[in-house]
Amino acid sequence: MKKLMTAIALLAAAPAWAEDKMTVLLDWFINPDHGPIIVAQENGYFAEQGLEVEIVPPADPSAPPRLVAAGQAELAVSYQPQLHLQIHEGLPLKRVGTLVATPLNCLLVLEDGPIKSPADLKGKKIGFSVAGVEEAILGTVLGKYDVALDDVELINVNFSLSPSLMTGQVDAVIGAYRNFELNQMDIEGRPGTCFYIEEEGVPSYDELIYVANPETMDADKIARFLAATEKATQYIVNNPEKSWEIFSATSPELRDELNARAWVDTLPRFALRPAGFDAGRYARFEAFLNESGMIDSILPVSDITIDVTAQ
């Protein structure tokens, strides 16, 4: 008995095992799109998986995938459309998980404006933030209505999408998020209308994904990260109001009407199985980019995405 008590005392005095550290770079400042990551942190789900996760909003939204490719962080939140292009550019990246499993992007116009259909955009001005994929998406949407890209004037409005639309600088914007810009415009008294790109000929895709460097990644750590965010997503779905309170309590800037509305609109779009993926969806989008002239070859799905839980 004395030996047993001594052993118990030694175990109690021993230091806890150190958690594995991970750095996760976000795509933007913290917002409801990142709900599962923040709730996993706040509810202790990362700690349950033996992880100490540092969540870092980027100074430059375009930098996170390149920093991960360079070994500066384990994971970055990024976008499926951009991933295809980045891989073709030679960046060592793969999708290892999904955060938001539906498109958020839409073609946005004023609800009370003259544009009632994409066909009405012929000869009009369309604002955008990021050149490249947006043009391929816009070309597909307009093409369905026999409007060519040459028939519209494209204006780079940087990230001032809804303001440029509300002030009349442009007649429509591409790249607006249906969970944010629609709510923002409604709150400001200038409601908008979205043409949903996946209903207008663009293959559906995962809007927000986790990317890693396949040459250096620790698949086990990433699998544990995804298990924690899956548990967080289940918690959010089961407890939408309580999870909003947990999420919004992390920063005063989150506790406003826009973020509260966006939370409700984003909730059904979170990936319920963040590690899983639809191979056909990635193959179709790769073919779409090839047909649009954005890439000059078609890579196998295994070069683009991976299930780390199967490694």
Side-chain angles (χ1 to χ4, degrees):
M1 178 62 73
K2 186 176 180 180
K3 288 183 177 179
L4 177 60
M5 295 303 293
T6 301
I8 293 172
L10 287 171
L11 285 172
W17 290 106
E19 293 177 333
D20 290 328
K21 294 185 177 182
M22 286 186 73
T23 299
V24 178
L25 306 177
L26 302 182
D27 59 305
W28 198 243
F29 55 84
I30 292 175
N31 63 73
D33 290 344
H34 308 124
I37 303 173
I38 304 303
V39 170
Q41 184 85 294
E42 295 300 305
N43 280 8
Y45 300 153
F46 290 138
E48 288 177 5
Q49 293 291 333
L51 296 174
E52 180 184 333
V53 178
E54 182 184 11
I55 301 166
V56 182
D60 175 0
S62 68
R66 299 184 185 279
L67 292 173
V68 166
Q72 301 291 311
E74 283 86 355
L75 286 178
V77 175
S78 192
Y79 315 90
Q80 182 189 335
Q82 276 69 32
L83 174 65
H84 291 261
L85 301 184
Q86 289 160 350
I87 292 174
H88 279 271
E89 291 171 6
L91 285 181
L93 292 171
K94 277 190 182 181
R95 171 258 171 224
V96 292
T98 303
L99 175 56
V100 174
T102 75
L104 295 176
N105 190 354
C106 74
L107 178 61
L108 181 61
V109 300
L110 290 173
E111 184 180 272
D112 60 358
I115 309 301
K116 304 303 180 186
S117 158
D120 298 328
L121 285 168
K122 189 170 185 176
K124 304 297 185 181
K125 298 176 180 178
I126 302 178
F128 69 95
S129 295
V130 182
V133 175
E134 299 290 23
E135 293 178 38
I137 290 173
L138 182 60
T140 298
V141 174
L142 294 177
K144 182 180 175 183
Y145 298 87
D146 296 322
V147 178
L149 276 178
D150 289 345
D151 294 330
V152 301
E153 181 182 353
L154 296 178
I155 298 176
N156 189 335
V157 297
N158 295 313
F159 293 98
S160 184
L161 290 167
S162 53
S164 66
L165 180 60
M166 289 188 290
T167 58
Q169 180 184 350
V170 295
D171 303 287
V173 292
I174 187 70
Y177 273 10
R178 60 195 71 173
N179 57 340
F180 275 92
E181 272 81 5
L182 269 182
N183 284 310
Q184 181 183 36
M185 292 176 66
D186 189 59
I187 290 169
E188 296 188 22
R190 297 296 306 279
T193 295
C194 262
F195 299 112
Y196 300 111
I197 59 174
E198 69 274 23
E199 297 177 5
E200 302 291 350
V202 177
S204 192
Y205 58 86
D206 298 335
E207 189 70 60
L208 291 178
I209 57 175
Y210 302 105
V211 297
N213 183 331
E215 299 168 4
T216 60
M217 71 180 185
D218 184 329
D220 174 67
K221 281 171 64 174
I222 294 172
R224 285 185 278 145
F225 173 89
L226 295 175
T229 56
E230 179 173 336
K231 186 173 181 179
T233 303
Q234 291 166 348
Y235 181 87
I236 290 169
V237 171
N238 292 335
N239 306 275
E241 294 179 4
K242 178 61 177 175
S243 58
W244 161 248
E245 290 301 321
I246 292 169
F247 172 81
S248 61
T250 61
S251 173
E253 289 79 12
L254 296 172
R255 300 188 71 86
D256 62 15
E257 184 181 1
L258 175 58
N259 281 291
R261 286 196 189 191
W263 180 265
V264 173
D265 288 348
T266 311
L267 188 151
R269 300 181 182 277
F270 290 133
L272 296 175
R273 297 172 54 249
F277 66 91
D278 179 343
R281 169 176 285 199
Y282 282 77
R284 286 189 293 273
F285 206 84
E286 180 82 350
F288 163 73
L289 291 175
N290 179 253
E291 292 164 6
S292 302
M294 300 300 300
I295 54 177
D296 57 11
S297 63
I298 295 179
L299 295 174
V301 171
S302 59
D303 285 358
I304 303 167
T305 181
I306 190 173
D307 180 353
V308 292
T309 65
Q311 301 306 298

